[in-house]
Amino acid sequence: MGNSFQVQDRFEDGAQYIGGRLRSGTSGRSQAVVNPATGDTVYTYELAGTADVDAAVAAAREAFPGWSGATPAERSEAMHRFAAVLAEQADDFAYAESLQCGKPVKLSSGFDVPGTVDNTSFFAGAARHLEGKSAAEYDGDHTSYVRREAIGVIGSIAPWNYPLQMAAWKVLPAIAAGNTIVLKPAEITPLTSLMFAQAATEAGIPDGVINIVTGAGKDAGEHLVGHPDVVMTSFTGSTAVGKRVAEIATSTVKRLHLELGGKAPFVVFDDADLEAAVNGAVAGSLINTGQDCTAATRAYVQRPLYDAFVQDVAALMETVRLGDPFDPKTDLGPLISHAQRDRVAGFVERARGYATVVTGGEAPGGELAQGAYYRPTLVAGAAQDSEIVQAEIFGPVLVVLPFDTDDEGIELANDTPYGLAASAWTRDLYRANRATREIKAGCVWINDHIPIISEMPHGGYKASGFGKDMSSYSFEEYTQVKHVMYDNTAVARKDWHRTIFGDR
């Protein structure tokens, strides 16, 4: 895939998209977008300040009456055009996503971009299906029904690991329901969020419905969350930052949606298809270089399969090809930055004191040394309460532990603060059903790990947050439910009035 545009030229007017046009930030501080595969700067821009957030919120507020007042069909038609524009520009989106993130182009072009187009198409249809309870006379004297109404200006914050998809997950259900939005992407990966908003404008979605402010979390992010004209905050990121977002949002009585960290268990029972489990573990732990909240990070393998699983996973990991993200043969790209690479390496180095690094555990040399690369890593022999088992690493590291009884396997799977995703591997229907019931996670896969679909909800338990992205369930986050009740009796004095008027 070739460079279809020059980034600095494409965004020469700045990295803020407010009221339908690009503009420069006013913070007085610049930010570089760096290609983590090479360390080269591909774009430099001025960060957003609080004044930019205020302008974006004002644009969204001005656009809200017209957009929320449009018919569901009108919003749906605009979003269908949006999906078509995204599909037409798929190559540019894939290129930009790989450039700023270091993703292998086969991931960005085969997963991120088509997934986003599909999400857009789904919500284009869902815009016409804002359902409530059917009208009925529940007490005999009144007719009741439920309205779902847009709630106002949404202020959302998205992470750097899937910039395009996370922008879509925040924007699409919000605008399908009739809201307007100000999105703050991660300042190190703003390119595809800006392109996403531009594509919406090209599709005819009105100016101000989708606004992008690209700034630092402490400045732009906190100001957005605390803004008095923002009625809801949706945040995806670490649990630690999510706690800070919650503090600010709750102080202003905002609606809050949090999708936070994960430490997904991968439970392999002794009747599992070993080959399938091994392939699933390697793919599930290494997708996006392990920078995925739902990535398989803790493999619990029942004792009869444990040794073979460790041996086969290590052997398969050693065949994974690190390289240039734009080479279609590359399997694994770099981490998002050298700082993140060093953070991941620190977890592994500390684990050497209490566990065994079976394979990996190092950065490659040679021509990849300039990038933030780290080899696929398998760690065995760690205790359940150790750092490498309990903490979110966010890198290409899988920890494997044995278990004996089914009870123990389920107990270990639940033994972290997180609960975003999990998988169980078995041929036994009863074991599978038990795993889906008893593992405390927002998604439990059986004999697979990672696939997501627009029609189904994504969100966690426990320290992984609350609320749902994707699916029609997301409208519960982005709509206000209103009960409407009509009197049918035309009687001036109702029976219940006796509680006030007595026998008069």
Side-chain angles (χ1 to χ4, degrees):
M1 178 178 293
N3 185 345
S4 57
F5 59 87
Q6 295 295 322
V7 174
Q8 200 73 42
D9 293 340
R10 170 107 182 212
F11 301 111
E12 64 178 345
D13 292 330
Q16 319 305 322
Y17 196 76
I18 299 172
R21 66 179 183 88
L22 288 170
R23 54 188 271 184
S24 185
T26 62
S27 71
R29 293 183 292 118
S30 62
Q31 172 70 44
V33 177
V34 176
N35 178 352
T38 62
D40 295 336
T41 296
V42 298
Y43 178 54
T44 303
Y45 67 94
E46 295 299 311
L47 287 163
T50 56
D52 303 301
V53 173
D54 290 342
V57 172
R61 187 177 180 185
E62 183 179 354
F64 177 73
W67 184 247
S68 63
T71 67
E74 289 169 337
R75 289 198 297 268
S76 177
E77 288 168 5
M79 292 182 71
H80 277 300
R81 294 194 301 270
F82 188 12
V85 172
L86 293 172
E88 290 168 3
Q89 299 178 8
D91 286 349
D92 282 356
F93 274 98
Y95 172 80
E97 195 77 333
S98 288
L99 187 68
Q100 68 181 353
C101 298
K103 295 172 184 283
V105 73
K106 66 181 181 182
L107 177 64
S108 59
S109 63
F111 183 78
D112 299 61
V113 175
T116 300
V117 174
D118 184 72
N119 284 169
T120 309
S121 295
F122 172 81
F123 280 108
R128 301 182 74 160
H129 295 281
L130 292 175
E131 296 179 349
K133 279 191 175 182
S134 299
E137 290 68 48
Y138 293 99
D139 71 350
D141 290 337
H142 301 82
T143 297
S144 289
Y145 68 90
V146 169
R147 291 176 56 90
R148 282 193 179 272
E149 298 179 348
I151 58 176
V153 177
I154 313 299
S156 293
I157 299 175
W160 48 255
N161 58 332
Y162 289 99
L164 176 60
Q165 285 202 305
M166 295 299 98
W169 287 15
K170 299 301 182 196
V171 168
L172 296 172
I175 68 169
N179 302 288
T180 56
I181 189 167
V182 178
L183 173 73
K184 192 198 89 64
E187 58 269 34
I188 59 175
T189 56
L191 303 181
T192 49
S193 297
L194 293 167
M195 293 167 64
F196 189 70
Q198 288 178 314
T201 299
E202 290 179 43
I205 291 177
D207 294 348
V209 172
I210 302 172
N211 306 275
I212 309 294
V213 289
T214 309
K218 283 289 185 182
D219 301 323
E222 293 199 0
H223 190 63
L224 177 62
V225 173
H227 199 288
D229 291 333
V230 169
V231 298
M232 173 185 164
T233 291
S234 177
F235 170 80
T236 296
S238 71
T239 298
V241 177
K243 291 178 180 178
R244 175 61 180 158
V245 169
E247 289 174 1
I248 299 170
T250 54
S251 70
T252 54
V253 199
K254 285 179 172 49
R255 187 177 297 197
L256 185 60
H257 169 214
L258 298 174
E259 198 267 87
L260 306 176
K263 190 71 178 176
F266 186 101
V267 183
V268 183
F269 293 100
D270 57 15
D271 67 326
D273 180 327
L274 179 62
E275 182 182 7
V278 167
N279 281 275
V282 174
S285 63
L286 300 184
I287 186 169
N288 203 33
T289 318
Q291 299 167 127
D292 187 311
C293 295
T294 63
T297 58
R298 299 178 289 138
Y300 297 105
V301 184
Q302 206 153 22
R303 193 81 61 176
L305 295 184
Y306 178 79
D307 290 340
F309 181 89
V310 171
Q311 176 182 311
D312 292 354
V313 166
L316 188 56
M317 279 186 168
E318 289 165 5
T319 71
V320 172
R321 299 165 297 191
L322 282 67
D324 177 3
F326 294 102
D327 183 341
K329 294 181 180 178
T330 293
D331 300 319
L332 203 69
L335 290 148
I336 191 66
S337 66
H338 285 84
Q340 179 65 12
R341 192 269 311 275
D342 293 344
R343 179 180 179 275
V344 171
F347 279 102
V348 177
E349 290 308 306
R350 291 189 295 275
R352 292 185 193 275
Y354 56 79
T356 300
V357 177
V358 181
T359 190
E362 62 182 4
E367 59 186 28
L368 297 182
Q370 293 297 109
Y373 289 89
Y374 196 74
R375 294 196 185 282
T377 300
L378 181 65
V379 177
Q384 174 66 17
D385 62 355
S386 62
E387 177 192 52
I388 206 162
V389 174
Q390 292 292 323
E392 186 175 32
I393 299 170
F394 229 55
V397 179
L398 176 65
V399 184
V400 58
L401 298 87
F403 70 92
D404 292 304
T405 67
D406 289 16
D407 288 350
E408 182 187 8
I410 299 292
E411 181 181 354
L412 290 170
N414 286 328
D415 185 27
T416 72
Y418 301 104
L420 186 57
S423 64
W425 298 73
T426 176
R427 293 182 173 95
D428 187 298
L429 176 63
Y430 296 98
R431 272 176 160 168
N433 282 339
R434 181 185 180 189
T436 62
R437 290 194 311 272
E438 297 185 15
I439 293 178
K440 304 303 181 187
C443 174
V444 180
W445 293 284
I446 299 298
N447 296 326
D448 207 344
H449 195 109
I450 287 297
I452 54 174
I453 49 176
S454 297
E455 292 83 357
M456 288 291 111
H458 175 88
Y461 285 35
K462 304 189 292 186
S464 292
F466 48 82
K468 299 299 179 184
D469 288 311
M470 299 197 297
S471 82
S472 59
Y473 290 96
S474 63
F475 286 129
E476 295 176 6
E477 314 298 322
Y478 294 100
T479 55
Q480 180 66 53
V481 174
K482 177 186 287 184
H483 170 216
V484 178
M485 182 180 253
Y486 286 90
D487 171 58
N488 294 327
T489 66
V491 173
R493 182 167 290 189
K494 309 293 192 288
D495 181 62
W496 69 268
H497 291 180
R498 70 184 185 280
T499 62
I500 301 298
F501 304 130
D503 58 359
R504 284 175 290 146

